[in-house]
Amino acid sequence: MAWDLSCRDWWSRLQAGRSLVPGLPLWTAEAERAVRVFNKLRLADVPGTPTMEEAGGEWFRDIVRAMFGSVDPATRERMIRELFALVPKKNSKTTDGALLMVTALLLNQRPRAGYVMTAPVQDVAQLAFDAAAGAIELDPVLDKKLHVRHHLKTIIHRETKAELEIMTFDPSVLTGQKISGGALIDELHVCAKMAKAPKALRQIRGGMLPFPEAFLAFITTQSDEAPVGIFADELQKARDIRDGKREGAMLPVLFEFPKELQESKDRKWESPALWPLVTPNLGKSITIQRLQSDYQEAKDTSEVELRIWASQHLNLQIGVALHAAAWAGAEYWEAQSELGITLEELLERCEVVDVGIDGGGLDDLLGLAVVGRDKETRDWLVWSRAWAHPSVMERRKAEAERFNDFASDGDLVLVQQIGEDVEQVADIVAQIEESGLLDKVGVDPAGLGAILDALEEAGVPKDKVVGVSQGWKLTGAIKTAERKLAEGTLWHAGQPLMAWCAGNAKVEPRGNAIVITKQAAGTAKIDPLMAMFNAVTLMSLNPAAAPSIDDFLRSPVIA
């Protein structure tokens, strides 16, 4: 029978300083044997080279107990086949992970078993290897039992011939790797951005299936931008298992604040009193004083640096990834989300609507933004969608997983032929026209031709389609949008696609004006955001509301 690995009271456990590993029917002898082996390993880069028993955190010993105490000693069947540990930086996760893999190598009973530990960059892989090799070389018994091959970053058990290889994350190499013992992936959020990372992960999992004792472990910090690809998928799986929303053989150990605290408008997470709750190695590899100093430096630098600091040291999840020269409106984007606004709801609530369109080349997204004025509050509501040709996925392989996520959300449509995108845009605009709410459609004059033809064919009056000047002439729309976001009078549908675009936007001064251009954004896409600015330009002209049925009934009768 599968074990229940949920930990529904995780927040109260964090507040009470209790373990995030729930009570499990572990094989106690196996669990404690693993802890004894782990505790004897030494830290080679710490003065005095203390043992893990002296310097290690109890939080990680709980993980060791669970991972090795979940293997049936009679059948070798593993009840916990995976681990997802979300741990902030400076909590010894790379070192602990490396020593976990050394423990696995020492306890392994399968001849010539294969173990792999990967990290996204060479420096981190070297750190992991140095921790493992250093612990072995400091122990005369281990030094005789294990053969360290420094030039290959490989450790071989002399008796079982089992092998632990520590390497940088390379999907092409991992795809063909024999992993019969276990694998550990460090910093999954970085690995997830690599092309073919999903394929490599599928191969690792598939290769482990014949081996009942094999395990897969992820030990990672939060991403410094919105989670994407396999990182977003595995993190959500871990949260769902933790919260009892799904079953699985993954042990979730997530040091993070509840969603409402992370998104609190008064930013409660900035209080140092809360930081110990998500800092499991506090007092060992990190102190609150060092965190406070780092925090203050980041806060004094910029909002960008503060958010990055919070993502890495508090595991705060970022929805909008800010950067140097970021658009000011991006800072308020998350706070102005009204999740679930659909096009139909927007049309129901608004008295007049403007549409913006931008992009559409082979190397671009085609962006559509609908901006409506609420008939009750007069706040502005925004809904967006984008279209992409498969060639964009090929030309922007680094963003392919992100685009697939947006497509799954329904915010990005992947078309097979150029032309389908324009037709679908025209159909949506025609729907708005039929509602009687459409004021104007604003388009970049450089791309007016094909769009104008499609709109006319769909029944949108030609005089409602206008060119919106780009470059510095969009300054007014850019400033209007950021001001209304800051005032709390512009609300959007909380679409991850638009959060990404808002975070990608870079501002450049041009005389007394500012510009946001695709060139400044580089490979990151902003087409739907530019479409929004086109629509904002039109809505800023304060178009008259469409006549209502009440207006019609009040109008004088003409004989």
Side-chain angles (χ1 to χ4, degrees):
M1 179 182 289
W3 286 1
D4 179 5
L5 299 179
S6 66
C7 188
R8 296 171 177 83
D9 61 342
W10 63 274
W11 179 229
S12 62
R13 282 171 175 262
L14 280 177
Q15 292 174 293
R18 296 169 55 209
S19 173
L20 289 181
V21 176
L24 298 170
L26 302 175
W27 281 274
T28 306
E30 299 290 316
E32 295 308 321
R33 181 186 174 210
V35 170
R36 287 195 298 272
V37 171
F38 179 80
N39 277 343
K40 289 180 181 178
L41 300 176
R42 291 185 173 274
L43 294 172
D45 60 347
V46 176
T49 63
T51 63
M52 289 304 293
E53 184 173 18
E54 300 166 312
E58 190 61 31
W59 69 278
F60 203 82
R61 270 188 285 274
D62 289 337
I63 290 175
V64 173
R65 285 190 186 91
M67 293 304 292
F68 295 99
S70 64
V71 180
D72 187 328
T75 65
R76 306 307 300 163
E77 181 73 26
R78 175 179 289 279
M79 304 305 292
I80 300 177
R81 292 187 65 84
E82 298 188 3
L83 163 72
F84 193 103
L86 187 69
V87 190
K89 280 187 179 297
K90 306 304 178 186
N91 280 277
S92 191
K93 67 176 181 56
T94 298
T95 296
D96 288 353
L99 299 185
L100 174 75
M101 297 308 285
V102 171
T103 302
L105 187 65
L106 289 167
L107 295 177
N108 166 69
Q109 298 178 16
R110 181 178 293 276
R112 302 187 181 278
Y115 292 87
V116 168
M117 179 175 179
T118 72
V121 295
Q122 184 175 354
D123 288 350
V124 178
Q126 186 65 51
L127 176 65
F129 178 76
D130 289 345
I136 292 164
E137 290 163 352
L138 284 169
D139 188 314
V141 175
L142 293 186
D143 202 24
K144 291 180 180 178
K145 186 171 289 191
L146 302 175
H147 177 206
V148 179
R149 305 178 72 185
H150 285 269
H151 63 297
L152 296 176
K153 291 189 177 60
T154 300
I155 300 168
I156 300 174
H157 196 294
R158 298 182 193 274
E159 297 169 11
T160 65
K161 306 303 180 187
E163 183 175 309
L164 167 61
E165 185 175 1
I166 298 176
M167 63 174 76
T168 53
F169 188 88
D170 184 342
S172 60
V173 174
L174 286 169
T175 298
Q177 199 81 11
K178 178 192 173 185
I179 306 176
S180 55
L184 188 149
I185 301 177
D186 194 5
E187 297 294 29
L188 181 66
H189 71 93
V190 180
C191 301
K193 299 174 186 177
M194 300 181 187
K196 299 183 179 179
K199 181 180 178 181
L201 188 55
R202 285 194 299 271
Q203 291 286 337
I204 290 173
R205 282 191 166 122
M208 289 180 175
L209 283 176
F211 307 102
E213 76 278 21
F215 67 88
L216 173 60
F218 305 106
I219 300 183
T220 183
T221 58
Q222 182 56 266
S223 175
D224 59 5
E225 56 184 24
V228 298
I230 56 174
F231 174 66
D233 294 342
E234 299 301 325
L235 175 57
Q236 190 58 52
K237 181 197 299 183
R239 285 172 173 162
D240 287 347
I241 292 173
R242 176 196 64 187
D243 298 338
K245 295 179 180 178
R246 65 182 290 179
E247 296 180 350
M250 173 186 281
L251 176 67
V253 182
L254 312 177
F255 289 93
E256 61 178 356
F257 297 127
K259 189 172 185 288
E260 58 272 17
L261 195 152
Q262 292 194 42
E263 297 177 355
S264 58
K265 292 191 176 182
D266 56 355
R267 301 188 8 162
K268 291 184 173 65
W269 52 265
E270 287 195 62
S271 169
L274 291 173
W275 299 350
L277 307 186
V278 293
T279 312
N281 234 45
L282 191 64
K284 297 184 181 295
S285 58
I286 189 65
T287 64
I288 289 295
Q289 289 73 24
R290 283 166 57 194
L291 283 175
Q292 285 179 305
S293 174
D294 227 27
Y295 157 80
Q296 196 59 53
E297 184 177 344
K299 188 169 186 176
D300 291 345
T301 301
S302 67
E303 176 68 15
V304 177
E305 288 303 313
L306 177 58
R307 287 190 180 215
I308 292 174
W309 178 88
S311 71
Q312 300 303 284
H313 294 282
L314 302 179
N315 276 342
L316 207 73
Q317 182 164 314
I318 289 179
V320 179
L322 301 179
H323 46 66
W327 172 48
E331 183 177 338
Y332 304 95
W333 190 264
E334 288 179 273
Q336 289 306 111
S337 168
E338 188 174 329
L339 294 175
I341 295 178
T342 62
L343 175 60
E344 290 70 24
E345 182 182 344
L346 185 147
L347 297 179
E348 177 68 27
R349 291 171 56 180
C350 292
E351 61 183 8
V352 65
V353 167
D354 280 305
V355 175
I357 302 172
D358 188 85
L362 285 175
D363 199 29
D364 276 332
L365 304 181
L366 175 59
L368 169 79
V370 180
V371 177
R373 190 173 66 219
D374 190 292
K375 64 182 74 170
E376 300 293 336
T377 66
R378 295 186 68 80
D379 287 353
W380 292 4
L381 307 181
V382 180
W383 176 87
S384 305
R385 181 165 288 171
W387 288 258
H389 187 266
S391 61
V392 175
M393 309 287 272
E394 286 300 315
R395 296 180 185 213
R396 298 284 178 256
K397 291 183 178 179
E399 302 294 352
E401 284 307 308
R402 191 187 305 273
F403 290 162
N404 283 327
D405 287 346
F406 294 151
S408 298
D409 296 333
D411 300 330
L412 176 65
V413 180
L414 302 175
V415 299
Q416 295 306 308
Q417 292 184 340
I418 289 293
E420 292 177 0
D421 49 356
V422 175
E423 290 175 6
Q424 292 179 30
V425 166
D427 289 342
I428 291 175
V429 179
Q431 177 187 348
I432 299 171
E433 168 65 15
E434 288 172 10
S435 73
L437 300 176
L438 181 64
D439 169 48
K440 293 284 192 300
V441 181
V443 184
D444 180 350
L448 200 57
I451 292 172
L452 185 60
D453 292 341
L455 291 173
E456 189 173 4
E457 188 175 332
V460 179
K462 194 172 182 178
D463 61 355
K464 288 197 173 186
V465 185
V466 298
V468 177
S469 298
Q470 303 296 292
W472 66 269
K473 292 186 178 180
L474 272 181
T475 297
I478 295 169
K479 294 282 189 181
T480 297
E482 63 191 43
R483 183 177 181 86
K484 291 189 77 65
L485 283 164
E487 290 173 344
T489 57
L490 186 153
W491 299 89
H492 58 85
Q495 296 161 290
L497 168 67
M498 282 297 282
W500 179 63
C501 292
N504 291 338
K506 293 183 181 180
V507 174
E508 294 181 351
R510 295 279 176 87
N512 293 327
I514 60 171
V515 296
I516 294 175
T517 65
K518 297 176 187 178
Q519 290 78 13
T523 59
K525 297 299 178 185
I526 60 170
D527 307 272
L529 184 71
M530 298 304 291
M532 187 189 81
F533 292 142
N534 290 342
V536 165
T537 298
L538 300 174
M539 188 59 71
S540 298
L541 299 176
N542 195 28
S548 67
I549 186 66
D550 291 336
D551 294 333
F552 176 77
L553 293 174
R554 283 194 297 265
S555 63
V557 177
I558 300 176

